Amino acid sequence: MATIDLAGKNVLILGGSGELGRRLAAEFYRRGSRVMLAGRSSGDLEKQARQLGPEVVYSSFDLRDADPGRIIDEAYRLLGALDGVVNAAGIVAFGPLEELGDEALNDLVAVNFSGPLRVMRAAVRRMDGGFLVNVTGVVAESPIGGMAAYSAVKAGLSAATRALARELRSKRIQVLDARPPHTETGLAGRPIEGVAPALPDGLDPDVVAVRVVDAVVAGRRELAAADFAP
Ligand SMILES: NC(=O)c1ccc[n+]([C@@H]2O[C@H](COP(=O)([O-])OP(=O)(O)OC[C@H]3O[C@@H](n4cnc5c(N)ncnc54)[C@H](OP(=O)(O)O)[C@@H]3O)[C@@H](O)[C@H]2O)c1
């Protein structure tokens, strides 16, 4: 397994305004990478970028757009080169399938599955070596009742990510599927539909972020839910 030196690498963080994404960005930055944050809210992105450092760049985009892959062109424009794309964007919905609305279902598919694949496609068309990361989640391994659509799109992205690890070997692009268990980011309190069930205490998001970045450095292809055990 090849290891990656993150110093001087240009890394795009999708969901860089979110709780896991901003911690991942901080960890890459701490290890010497040049970081670009992307997410929907430009106000949040600007705030996170300012907190990280003066040279951190950002751009707002929406994974539900017809062509979210344009964020890759923007990354090349702002960073000059691209060595890594880390996808920590996502949304969740709770409740039985019979109550799930079409709009929520479409958004779950676009934000958690097809949008990230479109961005990754745009990235690998331009990247020369480097790495890709998708933060999928434990539900990709163990689907949960009351979260059928969320489990399904996460499992789909996880499968695509593991297939890409093989497909992109010849392009020297390392690909990591990270499947953390429930983590205390507050995501469960921000569903696009439904109400979260009672959940056990989650992991510390700082610990999750460090573990994901360590796995990138180590050239790992998978971080299973069990790999996040304290
Ligand atoms: N927290 C957990 O327990 C847990 C466990 C396993 C896996 N995960 C996964 O980890 C990832 C990060 O979750 P988190 O807990 O850090 O949640 P979070 O704090 O809510 O962050 C979500 C991020 O996704 C972005 N986003 C949402 N909709 C978007 C869209 N349409 N286009 C572009 N960006 C969009 C948000 O940006 P805006 O706010 O600007 O929209 C935000 O930056 C998600 O994929 C989640 O499924 C989380």
Side-chain angles (χ1 to χ4, degrees):
M1 250 179 340
T3 59
I4 293 186
D5 177 4
L6 294 178
K9 294 288 189 294
N10 295 285
V11 183
L12 168 64
I13 314 278
L14 310 178
S17 50
E19 292 300 320
L20 262 181
R22 70 182 175 84
R23 288 172 170 85
L24 285 163
E27 195 57 28
F28 279 102
Y29 182 79
R30 197 181 66 75
R31 299 187 198 206
S33 299
R34 298 179 65 218
V35 169
M36 171 172 162
L37 311 178
R40 259 182 322 182
S41 150
S42 50
D44 288 350
L45 291 166
E46 184 187 6
K47 187 173 138 213
Q48 300 301 347
R50 214 182 316 117
Q51 279 176 5
L52 262 188
E55 67 282 39
V56 173
V57 293
Y58 63 91
S59 180
S60 62
F61 85 127
D62 195 319
L63 280 158
R64 297 167 301 177
D65 283 351
D67 185 12
R70 278 179 306 192
I71 194 68
I72 297 299
D73 294 333
E74 189 64 3
Y76 275 90
R77 193 179 72 76
L78 292 174
L79 293 169
L82 189 59
D83 302 294
V85 180
V86 178
N87 171 33
I91 51 175
V92 70
F94 300 105
L97 183 64
E98 62 194 277
E99 290 174 12
L100 186 69
D102 272 345
E103 194 178 334
L105 179 55
N106 288 340
D107 283 356
L108 285 170
V109 172
V111 177
N112 292 348
F113 177 67
S114 55
L117 276 189
R118 288 191 168 97
V119 174
M120 298 292 169
R121 180 179 62 186
V124 298
R125 283 175 176 164
R126 293 193 66 171
M127 283 169 73
D128 180 19
F131 61 89
L132 305 176
V133 180
N134 275 313
V135 179
T136 56
V138 61
V139 294
E141 299 172 5
S142 310
I144 299 177
M147 298 174 72
Y150 179 74
S151 300
V153 289
K154 287 291 188 180
L157 187 62
S158 168
T161 307
R162 285 174 286 138
L164 281 174
R166 298 173 185 195
E167 186 176 313
L168 296 174
R169 231 182 298 175
S170 60
K171 285 190 146 190
R172 296 172 295 102
I173 297 175
Q174 288 185 184
V175 185
L176 170 66
D177 176 30
R179 305 190 289 271
H182 173 53
T183 303
E184 294 297 340
T185 64
L187 175 67
R190 299 186 282 280
I192 57 166
E193 253 187 42
V195 177
L199 293 165
D201 284 348
L203 298 181
D204 177 343
D206 289 320
V207 172
V208 170
V210 170
R211 203 145 302 172
V212 171
V213 179
D214 281 346
V216 171
V217 170
R220 289 187 63 166
R221 291 186 190 180
E222 291 188 55
L223 265 182
D227 293 330
F228 287 89

